Amino acid sequence: MNVLIYGSGQLAQMMYLSAVPLGFKVQAVDVANHTVVDPISKMKLDISIEQAIDRADALSVEFEHVPEDLLEQAQSSGKLYPSMEAILTGADRVREKNVLEKLQINNSKHLIITDIEQLDDAVAQLGEKLIIKASRDGYDGYGQWRLASKDDLPSLKQQLADLDLVQVPLIAEQMVPFDRELSLVGARGLHGEVKFYPLAENLHHEGQLHVSVAPAPEIDNALIEQAHSAFTKLADEFDYVGVLAVEFFQVGKQLLVNEIAPRVHNSGHWSMQGTDCSQFENHMRAITGLPLGNTQAYGKSAMINIIGCDDYSTDLLSLDHCNLHLYGKTVRAKRKMGHINLTGNTYADLAELMTTLAKYLPVEHFPKLLGEADKLAKID
Ligand code: ATP
Ligand code: MG
């Protein structure tokens, strides 16, 4: 099979690596330069996008912020999975909120802001603790502003004054006092079959994912049902093909959808060591019409993102049940450089491994690691 992926970052790289044993050839589109590149070396290939589309059995994306002209060209080939509509919904928070409302899926209370003065209505209707998000081009907490008190509203308005809110509206969301964040990653095949990975618990710091634990501890069937139901409604709506991720806030016994990602997702990286068939391989299988692979977890897994640093000790490779995945990037603040997957039979195993791992890492860059280890140690 030949697959063309739009986007040439780590997700394209990991999709490619997962599909090599299946005999796939994978090329990537550098969407900034409109060129076809090798997903590992990122070297430009001597082939046009049109030629690459012609040769491909399936096209897909590693991220949702692909320029619309490229998406249209991909969609018109009839080989783009998931569909352009699903991708655009993940790329635009206004579309996303509209779909969630239409499908009656619980999500955080919000208001769409097309004029800065509407922020007053947002405070009046939603309360003074708000998170304001640009409707497009946000990721990893970029394009977000927080309002802690209505006293800060004038200065926030000033900060946002230069934005063209008609072109790119803002979403003002109520700050949800969640108990924790969870996500569901699942795959839907060409013929509608669905496989779910277990829910993951996700720890964020400054709007960025730092640690995922899967299966998430202390999950009951009612939570799983809510998550599966939200996923199924969304997947059915788009006649979705491929891996889809849904991020949730848990508030008491209720799940609210935070956002959806029409692609493989950082909170599913644990599946590389934690299951028979990773989210990357299942995405490649789904879009090419192959049977989906087993998504059950072997035991307990944790995924630790390496963010904004490269001064860890590679002696961590001496640890058992610890796998390093690097993306080959040069270091920059807040940049995802790679991740570490840990596996164990119990949460206590994971806790012990996390504590040991911390000795090899510059801990200031891993603010969630030791706290999570303490928490997991108390579960088993
Ligand atoms: P990513 O690309 O990492 O998924 P993002 O930039 O797309 O991030 P969100 O997922 O919307 O943005 O927000 C990032 C994080 O900010 C969330 O995971 C959560 O920790 C926090 N957050 C977002 N919205 C809310 C909210 N309404 N209430 C409380 N916290 C929130
Ligand atoms: Mg998110």
Side-chain angles (χ1 to χ4, degrees):
M1 292 281 182
N2 291 317
V3 172
L4 183 66
I5 306 280
Y6 288 76
S8 53
Q10 67 263 24
L11 300 179
Q13 174 168 316
M14 290 188 279
M15 282 190 258
Y16 180 28
L17 292 173
S18 77
V20 169
L22 299 175
F24 281 36
K25 303 253 182 310
V26 179
Q27 296 177 327
V29 177
D30 175 336
V31 299
N33 297 315
H34 285 47
T35 51
V36 180
V37 301
D38 179 89
I40 309 291
S41 69
K42 325 296 180 198
M43 299 278 278
K44 183 177 175 313
L45 301 174
D46 191 19
I47 178 176
S48 67
I49 294 181
E50 291 76 13
Q51 287 169 325
I53 291 174
D54 274 351
R55 285 186 204 171
D57 297 290
L59 316 180
S60 194
V61 298
E62 70 151 11
F63 74 148
E64 48 279 22
H65 305 296
V66 174
E68 233 167 288
D69 57 330
L70 286 181
L71 277 183
E72 263 158 21
Q73 183 187 32
Q75 178 78 10
S76 68
S77 74
K79 299 187 279 196
L80 178 67
Y81 301 108
S83 67
M84 180 166 169
E85 198 199 344
I87 296 165
L88 289 178
T89 303
D92 183 336
R93 293 186 196 273
V94 173
R95 277 180 185 252
E96 186 179 55
K97 290 289 188 198
N98 289 340
V99 168
L100 293 172
E101 292 296 320
K102 177 180 149 197
L103 300 176
Q104 299 185 324
I105 297 173
N106 289 329
N107 65 93
S108 47
K109 291 203 181 82
H110 60 273
L111 216 63
I112 295 166
I113 307 287
T114 51
D115 175 331
I116 201 73
E117 295 311 320
Q118 291 166 333
L119 281 177
D120 292 319
D121 305 334
V123 169
Q125 290 175 36
L126 308 172
E128 61 182 347
K129 292 203 183 342
L130 296 177
I131 180 157
I132 320 287
K133 303 180 182 179
S135 55
R136 289 207 295 272
D137 292 328
Y139 67 100
D140 283 350
Y142 293 109
Q144 295 192 0
W145 301 265
R146 289 172 187 225
L147 183 71
S149 141
K150 60 178 183 298
D151 299 339
D152 301 334
L153 195 53
S155 75
L156 181 66
K157 280 186 186 170
Q158 232 166 33
Q159 254 189 71
L160 303 176
D162 291 339
L163 300 179
D164 181 351
L165 302 188
V166 177
Q167 274 302 108
V168 183
L170 297 169
I171 307 279
E173 277 182 30
Q174 198 168 59
M175 189 65 88
V176 178
F178 56 76
D179 299 310
R180 61 173 168 171
E181 294 190 72
L182 298 169
S183 62
L184 176 64
V185 174
R188 188 170 185 275
L190 261 179
H191 313 294
E193 69 279 24
V194 172
K195 291 217 175 175
F196 295 117
Y197 290 94
L199 287 169
E201 179 172 330
N202 302 320
L203 289 102
H204 289 80
H205 176 72
E206 294 174 353
Q208 241 183 334
L209 179 67
H210 276 249
V211 174
S212 292
V213 175
E218 291 160 349
I219 293 286
D220 61 27
N221 284 338
L223 284 177
I224 295 174
E225 245 166 60
Q226 289 178 62
H228 286 191
S229 153
F231 182 106
T232 305
K233 283 184 188 175
L234 287 160
D236 288 349
E237 169 74 10
F238 295 115
D239 199 10
Y240 197 91
V241 177
V243 163
L244 169 70
V246 187
E247 297 178 14
F248 298 96
F249 299 132
Q250 181 181 348
V251 187
K253 292 187 181 309
Q254 206 189 30
L255 292 188
L256 304 180
V257 170
N258 171 30
E259 60 170 356
I260 62 175
R263 55 171 166 80
V264 292
H265 193 254
N266 198 172
S267 70
H269 290 5
W270 65 273
S271 63
M272 297 170 94
Q273 266 73 43
T275 64
D276 279 349
C277 189
S278 75
Q279 63 163 348
F280 302 105
E281 182 174 338
N282 258 330
H283 185 70
M284 301 303 266
R285 290 185 186 207
I287 65 173
T288 55
L290 293 175
L292 299 179
N294 184 8
T295 50
Q296 272 178 336
Y298 293 139
K300 315 293 186 204
S301 293
M303 187 282 319
I304 292 115
N305 269 336
I306 302 171
I307 298 176
C309 70
D310 59 2
D311 53 341
Y312 44 82
S313 164
T314 45
D315 286 351
L316 65 84
L317 292 170
S318 64
L319 299 177
D320 291 343
H321 313 301
C322 171
N323 288 81
L324 178 63
H325 300 267
L326 293 178
Y327 309 150
K329 299 182 189 172
T330 47
V331 70
R332 215 165 52 202
K334 295 206 88 179
R335 194 170 214 196
K336 288 179 182 165
M337 304 294 294
H339 68 273
I340 299 165
N341 280 345
L342 305 177
T343 51
N345 290 323
T346 63
Y347 293 117
D349 289 346
L350 283 184
E352 201 181 319
L353 200 44
M354 282 174 163
T355 310
T356 309
L357 175 66
K359 297 183 184 133
Y360 298 84
L361 300 175
V363 284
E364 66 280 12
H365 290 284
F366 296 84
K368 294 288 168 185
L369 187 60
L370 288 172
E372 185 60 11
D374 276 354
K375 229 175 67 195
L376 291 175
K378 295 188 186 107
I379 294 176
D380 284 322

